[in-house]
Amino acid sequence: MDYIPAMMRWIHLMAGVMWIGLLYYFNFVQVAALKAAAADNNAAGITKHVAPRALFFFRWAALVTWLAGAALLGKYFVAAFTLQHDHAVIGVGAWLGTIMLLNVWGLIWPNQKKVLGLKPATDEQKNKARRIAFLASRTNTMLSIPLLFFMAAGAHPGIYGF
Ligand code: HEM
């Protein structure tokens, strides 16, 4: 039976690398690349072929990361999310990951669908959606920094002195 937590940790790490990896790709590469490509009049290559594929793996990796993380918490799920003493550190990380997941499925994906023309929208609606998706994605990039700190601190109690 011990291999289940081991499998969950492995899946959690793989899905987490995919999620955060694509989050950093969007924020550190694609935003600037799209601006430059639009100036060259060839943004369609990114918006039609790259972004939809990246968003597919991004949103499903986010969900798998959360589910595997919750499975890793197991019987300490409530203790972690209620920040009870021994589980408060991983609990803070779990809350940050949960806010990031809600941002992905509640703000980034629904608005990106409008921006990429996967859902009908007027130009005004597209501009508003582009702004919301951009701010939610930037927020997740910032949240990923303390999240990874609390994941490591939660998995290795005492390494940071608490
Ligand atoms: C962006 C989201 C997340 C990423 C990238 C992430 C990444 C990681 C990493 C790298 C570790 C291993 C730390 C180590 O062993 O040094 C870890 C551990 C852990 N994560 Fe996450 N995590 C995320 C979200 C979550 C969420 C939402 C939960 C709970 C619902 C969670 C629960 C856990 C648990 C319980 C551990 C500790 C496992 C242990 O005891 O070794 N994680 N996470």
Side-chain angles (χ1 to χ4, degrees):
M1 288 303 284
D2 288 349
Y3 62 76
I4 293 194
M7 284 299 289
M8 285 305 124
R9 185 172 289 113
W10 189 27
I11 293 169
H12 185 61
L13 292 186
M14 284 198 291
V17 167
M18 170 81 83
W19 180 9
I20 301 300
L22 287 168
L23 175 71
Y24 292 175
Y25 157 73
F26 288 132
N27 283 273
F28 297 109
V29 178
Q30 187 173 285
V31 170
L34 210 42
K35 229 179 245 163
D40 276 357
N41 229 349
N42 53 29
I46 298 175
T47 54
K48 220 168 145 215
H49 301 296
V50 178
R53 281 187 176 85
L55 283 163
F56 174 84
F57 290 103
F58 172 72
R59 65 183 188 274
W60 291 109
L63 187 63
V64 172
T65 303
W66 195 94
L67 292 173
L72 264 173
L73 287 174
K75 63 177 185 256
Y76 301 117
F77 184 90
V78 175
F81 275 91
T82 53
L83 305 181
Q84 284 171 31
H85 190 265
D86 289 352
H87 307 282
V89 176
I90 197 65
V92 172
W95 270 114
L96 290 170
T98 304
I99 294 165
M100 290 170 67
L101 179 76
L102 295 174
N103 266 343
V104 170
W105 284 91
L107 291 174
I108 297 173
W109 175 230
N111 284 289
Q112 281 291 4
K113 279 196 277 187
K114 291 180 191 166
V115 174
L116 297 174
L118 303 171
K119 197 174 163 187
T122 64
D123 285 351
E124 196 192 331
Q125 287 168 332
K126 276 190 184 174
N127 288 336
K128 191 166 165 245
R130 192 174 286 112
R131 186 75 189 145
I132 294 170
F134 172 78
L135 291 174
S137 192
R138 279 289 196 258
T139 304
N140 272 9
T141 303
M142 292 305 123
L143 291 178
S144 72
I145 299 165
L147 172 125
L148 289 169
F149 173 83
F150 283 101
M151 285 294 134
H156 308 279
I159 57 168
Y160 297 113
F162 57 79

